[in-house]
Amino acid sequence: MKNVFKLINIVFLLIWLALSGMLLYREYVGVSFNDSMAAQSAFGSEKAWYDIYIGNDKTGLASTIMEKAGNDIIIRHERRVKVLKGGEKAELVEKLKCLCDKALSIRSFEYTSNIKGERGIRATGDVDRDEITFILESPEKRKTYKTFTGGKKFYLPVTIIPAIQSEHKPVNQPFTVPLLNLADLRIRDVKVVLEEIRPINFNGNVVSIYKYMVGNMVVWCNTKGYIIKEEGPQGLTLYGEPEAVAKDPKSRPLLDYTDIPFFRSNRYISDTTALKTLRVKISGFRLNPGLYKNSGVTLRNSILIIRKRGSGDIRKASWRLPYKKTQMGKYVSADRWVRSDYEPLNNTGRIYARSNNDDAYALTEYLTSYVFNLVRPFPVFALRDSKAILKSLYGNYIEKTLMFASYARAAGLPTRLVGGLVYMNGYFYFQTWPEVWFGKWTPVDPSLYQFPADVTHIPLVGGTLEDIVSITDKLKDIKIEILEAS
């Protein structure tokens, strides 16, 4: 009996993880879901992938897929996690399959768990109107259990979305959802709270992510109805990633974009590209005067004056590639993140330079458009160099910055990385972008398709990618005030 309940507990934890992909989203307006949203709209045949971390160490990967089968919906969740057995490393493989009706009521489910190369355990559940029949199997025994429901409507964590949607409570207003607790085979009310609706900077747009407390789980949901981050018990965290990142066994530095601060602007700007000058006062952050030397930005005490350089002026300052002067050596060289020495990137950068007549302005203009379309939108937690990015071509502003810089440096176009804040729809958000040398540093933004970038790009730090992302924690203390926008 002890082993049986241990098995049931494992099933329960796995099904909690299978909550992935069930919570819905709408564009950020500062309130919760609207009545027109249907649960079925979240479903398709897309497969969501996840890195599994404990602290800074990657310990496995997971995937969730939802697909329609006639009038039913099939949900599959799989985890592969590194474990220790007898002092040796092994891989634990867990799989969950649920068959649901259109209302996401469970018709049946099947769970298996085994150490690779060994016999494992299996649990199945079939749901009738008034009872649930469980069959639990291990190499030693087979047991059957029944739980009576009395026709009461209830949910498993993977089907919790109809309850959440039907309630559509505002932020910080808790409600309960009846869930089947597989640890003791009883139906109990679980507390659910929408704690925050947070706007994020994604691919040049402002979109929302939703933070829920579901029992003892913290769940962040994205625009497609998939979980982008899930913080579970025992320090286990799932991060939604592209398939190539999830399948990479390496632990990578992470930038948790669910925790990057954003700032309401004291002034609304309807068209940032029309501005010629922006004056902002920065406090709570130490500005480095060296960053603004030979650029279009002037620092006076704590005030930054950002002036837009005209396209005609930049074109006149253009020159033939590659850049010859040695003082720009590090800006045409590869580093840990800008892998312009990687042969496919290096060759491609040189080809693009030749196809643009080795003209610096023409190449910059071309790369702004090319990289904007090359990197497919997908917010990524793991920090990757441009060689790794090339394998999947998914990402956000960081990935577009690195890809632009890699091609540009390969072509001999001096390019540096900059991080700071950018204005969007009444807020300032963290952003990275490249700057290119045309007699002075000129900002480019391939994630916004801007060359030159508008004056609401407020540079705060330059250097390597590590230097830039290290400021995200410091941003929590920053204050920014627009003094002039003209």
Side-chain angles (χ1 to χ4, degrees):
M1 180 64 68
K2 183 177 180 180
N3 289 334
V4 170
F5 279 101
K6 183 177 181 181
L7 171 62
I8 293 174
N9 273 301
I10 295 173
V11 176
F12 179 66
L13 288 175
L14 197 280
I15 290 179
W16 267 115
L17 290 173
L19 178 62
S20 303
M22 294 300 159
L23 297 180
L24 296 177
Y25 159 92
R26 75 182 178 105
E27 288 295 323
Y28 178 73
V29 293
V31 296
S32 188
F33 303 132
N34 60 30
D35 295 334
S36 64
M37 190 167 293
Q40 288 84 353
S41 67
F43 299 120
S45 58
E46 288 189 57
K47 192 170 189 177
W49 290 89
Y50 301 89
D51 269 338
I52 303 177
Y53 274 73
I54 296 179
N56 295 321
D57 297 322
K58 183 170 180 176
T59 188
L61 76 158
S63 63
T64 301
I65 188 168
M66 294 173 288
E67 57 188 359
K68 291 182 178 179
N71 292 324
D72 294 325
I73 296 168
I74 299 173
I75 304 169
R76 293 184 176 91
H77 181 80
E78 180 176 337
R79 278 199 310 172
R80 296 178 177 269
V81 182
K82 298 172 187 176
V83 295
L84 288 176
K85 184 177 181 183
E88 299 289 332
K89 287 186 178 181
E91 184 180 58
L92 174 65
V93 180
E94 297 177 301
K95 297 180 180 181
L96 174 69
K97 178 181 177 182
C98 294
L99 179 66
C100 315
D101 63 19
K102 286 185 177 180
L104 296 181
S105 174
I106 298 292
R107 295 184 184 276
S108 64
F109 71 86
E110 177 181 329
Y111 166 77
T112 60
S113 175
N114 68 285
I115 299 291
K116 197 170 182 179
E118 299 181 5
R119 294 180 64 190
I121 57 176
R122 179 173 179 266
T124 61
D126 288 299
V127 183
D128 287 329
R129 183 177 60 181
D130 296 321
E131 67 181 18
I132 309 170
T133 302
F134 296 94
I135 300 175
L136 309 177
E137 301 176 73
S138 70
E140 295 82 20
K141 62 182 70 176
R142 184 176 188 270
K143 293 286 185 179
T144 301
Y145 295 89
K146 289 191 177 183
T147 294
F148 291 93
T149 66
K152 181 180 179 181
K153 187 176 181 180
F154 66 94
Y155 300 87
L156 286 172
V158 292
T159 65
I160 197 174
I161 188 60
I164 292 177
Q165 185 195 12
S166 64
E167 292 285 345
H168 51 77
K169 297 291 186 182
V171 174
N172 293 327
Q173 184 170 330
F175 58 100
T176 58
V177 178
L179 290 182
L180 173 64
N181 187 335
L182 296 181
D184 58 11
L185 305 182
R186 294 183 180 180
I187 298 173
R188 289 190 174 88
D189 287 340
V190 172
K191 182 180 177 181
V192 178
V193 182
L194 173 58
E195 291 196 333
E196 181 182 0
I197 306 174
R198 171 175 285 254
I200 63 169
N201 171 11
F202 174 50
N203 198 43
N205 296 296
V206 177
V207 299
S208 292
I209 54 177
Y210 289 77
K211 180 183 179 182
Y212 279 90
M213 283 295 302
V214 183
N216 64 346
M217 303 285 290
V218 179
V219 179
W220 288 90
C221 310
N222 75 353
T223 61
K224 290 187 176 181
Y226 287 97
I227 286 175
I228 57 173
K229 180 184 174 186
E230 181 181 289
E231 300 172 73
Q234 302 173 336
L236 200 72
T237 304
L238 274 70
Y239 297 96
E241 300 284 33
E243 181 177 357
V245 178
K247 287 185 174 179
D248 186 343
K250 298 177 184 176
S251 297
R252 294 184 178 274
L254 300 172
L255 177 62
D256 188 349
Y257 60 83
T258 68
D259 195 41
I260 298 177
F262 59 97
F263 311 92
R264 183 184 292 274
S265 172
N266 64 307
R267 291 179 62 175
Y268 182 81
I269 302 172
S270 59
D271 183 6
T272 62
T273 60
L275 296 179
K276 302 298 182 183
T277 303
L278 185 77
R279 282 198 312 127
V280 293
K281 183 177 181 180
I282 304 289
S283 58
F285 186 90
R286 185 174 182 180
L287 299 171
N288 177 12
L291 177 64
Y292 311 112
K293 185 178 180 181
N294 297 318
S295 77
V297 182
T298 303
L299 173 62
R300 294 178 183 167
N301 297 321
S302 60
I303 296 174
L304 290 176
I305 305 168
I306 306 169
R307 296 182 176 89
K308 188 172 184 177
R309 196 175 183 186
S311 297
D313 179 49
I314 301 170
R315 195 186 296 272
K316 288 178 183 177
S318 188
W319 40 270
R320 288 187 60 79
L321 299 164
Y323 195 81
K324 304 288 187 182
K325 298 180 181 179
T326 57
Q327 72 266 29
M328 289 291 175
K330 73 175 182 177
Y331 300 114
V332 292
S333 300
D335 63 26
R336 177 186 172 189
W337 302 99
V338 181
R339 293 297 308 278
S340 54
D341 58 342
Y342 179 51
E343 188 173 354
L345 290 170
N346 188 276
N347 291 342
T348 303
R350 292 173 182 271
I351 290 170
Y352 292 155
R354 290 196 297 270
S355 66
N356 284 278
N357 299 316
D358 289 325
D359 180 77
Y361 181 92
L363 177 64
T364 304
E365 193 172 46
Y366 174 80
L367 288 180
T368 303
S369 171
Y370 177 71
V371 173
F372 175 84
N373 292 291
L374 176 70
V375 179
R376 291 166 287 184
F378 197 119
V380 181
F381 289 94
L383 297 179
R384 301 165 293 157
D385 62 28
S386 53
K387 177 181 176 181
I389 295 168
L390 192 62
K391 294 179 181 179
S392 68
L393 292 176
Y394 281 105
N396 200 4
Y397 48 82
I398 287 177
E399 289 74 18
K400 291 184 179 183
T401 298
L402 293 178
M403 292 300 290
F404 181 103
S406 296
Y407 290 127
R409 290 186 183 181
L413 178 62
T415 305
R416 68 178 185 176
L417 309 185
V418 173
L421 300 175
V422 65
Y423 175 93
M424 293 181 190
N425 299 339
Y427 289 84
F428 284 98
Y429 298 90
F430 176 71
Q431 175 95 329
T432 66
W433 61 89
E435 292 190 345
V436 176
W437 182 254
F438 287 101
K440 59 182 179 181
W441 292 110
T442 303
V444 183
D445 194 335
S447 66
L448 292 178
Y449 205 148
Q450 292 182 0
F451 170 50
D454 68 50
V455 294
T456 69
H457 287 70
I458 301 171
L460 298 176
V461 65
T464 67
L465 185 62
E466 296 107 312
D467 297 328
I468 292 170
V469 300
S470 69
I471 73 165
T472 54
D473 286 336
K474 300 174 185 176
L475 291 179
K476 295 176 182 178
D477 299 322
I478 201 170
K479 292 182 180 179
I480 180 168
E481 180 186 0
I482 296 178
L483 303 177
E484 176 190 352
S486 59

